[in-house]
């Protein structure tokens, strides 16, 4: 369990998250993911990073139960840690010195949207679904990153309703590069990564910096603005009230234990 890095092909690093049962990451997990992505990007031999996960889904966001345990004692350490950890992981993907290919299967929720929204290329299994159920979790955030995947009005509709969209729907909007059968996802993601890694490594790093530099929205500043409202929701008490209903029948998946 945790975050691991492998190099199955020359010039490619695969960073894999493994947090059973649903990849809802604890605070330390977000920091570990950030460290792994940054380390891979700094490696001069690496020209492309693949971000992947094991288990039932790519990412189910933060570990809600970790937050619930913390708030029962009246503290905010876990919330602050999750906010900072998510920001670190999202930034690590965005700022990675080489392109990042997200290999997405199953559910990609909450913090998962922050990761793929900041990735350079998204390859998805045909079972993948994407969404921000933040209003069902007593939180706000990652609209910054969903806005990189869908048009503005669809973003708002998805955010207010907590509905999800399929990989095929995102491909129609141009944000998912390729949709493949679930069993073919690892190979398909590595094939795209190999195509990228065949380019000159120095030029790839220049290209990544140039593309980030012309982004119309500063994703780090925008997400930080959103996080302030998450903390406000917690101070008001509404976040705890909503989180207490989390895990009821029909609610999104979260980490158990």
């Amino acid at each position: 369990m945790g975050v691991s890095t492998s190099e199955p092909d020359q010039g490619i690093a695969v960073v894999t998250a493994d947090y059973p049962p649903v990849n809802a990451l604890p605070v330390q997990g977000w920091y570990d993911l950030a460290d792994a992505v940054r380390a891979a990007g700094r490696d001069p031999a690496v020209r492309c990073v693949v971000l992947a996960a094991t288990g039932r889904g790519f990412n189910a966001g933060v570990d809600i139960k970790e937050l619930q345990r913390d708030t029962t004692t009246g503290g905010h350490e876990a919330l602050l840690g999750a906010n900072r950890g998510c920001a670190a992981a999202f930034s690590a993907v965005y700022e990675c010195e080489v392109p990042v290919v997200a290999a997405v299967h199953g559910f990609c929720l909450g913090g998962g949207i922050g990761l793929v929204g900041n990735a350079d290329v998204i390859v998805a299994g045909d079972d993948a679904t994407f969404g921000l159920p933040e209003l069902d979790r007593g939180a706000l955030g990652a609209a910054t990153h969903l806005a990189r995947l869908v048009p503005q009005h669809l973003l708002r509709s998805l955010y207010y309703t907590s509905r999800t969209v399929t990989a095929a729907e995102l491909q129609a909007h141009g944000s998912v590069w390729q949709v493949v059968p679930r069993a073919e996802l690892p190979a398909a993601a590595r094939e795209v990564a190999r195509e990228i890694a065949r380019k000159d490594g120095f030029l790839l790093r220049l290209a990544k910096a140039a593309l980030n530099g012309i982004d119309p929205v500063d994703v780090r500043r925008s997400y930080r603005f959103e996080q302030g409202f998450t903390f406000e929701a917690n101070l008001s008490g509404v976040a705890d009230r909503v989180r207490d209903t989390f895990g009821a029948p029909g609610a999104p998946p979260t980490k158990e234990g």
Side-chain angles (χ1 to χ4, degrees), residues 19-245:
Y19 289 89
V22 295
N23 280 319
L25 273 58
V27 170
Q28 188 58 50
W30 291 105
Y31 283 113
D32 291 345
L33 185 60
D35 289 344
V37 171
R38 290 191 186 278
R42 286 194 300 265
D43 185 343
V46 172
R47 298 184 180 186
C48 186
V49 172
V50 176
L51 188 60
T54 63
R56 291 165 49 192
F58 176 77
N59 189 286
V62 303
D63 183 352
I64 296 296
K65 293 192 175 181
E66 183 178 36
L67 298 182
Q68 290 173 323
R69 288 192 295 268
D70 190 48
T71 55
T72 58
T73 64
H76 294 292
E77 288 79 8
L79 173 64
L80 291 171
N83 276 359
R84 292 168 180 164
C86 283
F90 300 168
S91 293
V93 173
Y94 185 77
E95 296 167 358
C96 183
E97 296 176 29
V98 298
V100 176
V101 176
V104 184
H105 73 281
F107 43 80
C108 179
L109 305 172
I113 295 294
L115 296 173
V116 302
N118 273 357
D120 296 278
V121 180
I122 304 171
V123 179
D126 56 8
D127 64 336
T129 56
F130 302 75
L132 283 180
E134 308 308 279
L135 293 182
D136 290 337
R137 297 182 174 187
L140 297 165
T144 292
H145 310 93
L146 186 59
R148 296 166 68 83
L149 303 176
V150 299
Q152 182 63 221
H153 279 83
L154 180 55
L155 154 71
R156 290 171 180 257
S157 299
L158 293 172
Y159 203 87
Y160 295 144
T161 63
S162 298
R163 291 191 186 188
T164 60
V165 291
T166 66
E169 289 173 305
L170 288 190
Q171 187 178 36
H173 289 295
S175 50
V176 166
W177 174 256
Q178 186 179 15
V179 180
V180 299
R182 168 70 182 89
E184 299 175 14
L185 177 61
R190 288 199 301 272
E191 179 55 36
V192 173
R194 281 193 293 270
E195 183 176 354
I196 293 171
R198 285 194 287 268
K199 310 300 183 185
D200 181 87
F202 183 72
L203 281 177
L204 278 173
R205 283 170 165 75
L206 290 180
K208 179 66 180 277
L211 290 176
N212 282 3
I214 64 172
D215 260 342
V217 174
D218 183 335
V219 294
R220 292 157 295 188
R221 181 177 179 180
S222 179
Y223 178 57
R224 182 61 175 165
F225 180 80
E226 289 187 75
Q227 285 184 311
F229 290 99
T230 294
F231 198 68
E232 184 176 332
N234 277 269
L235 291 178
S236 71
V238 66
D240 289 339
R241 185 170 71 250
V242 173
R243 273 198 297 265
D244 285 344
T245 67

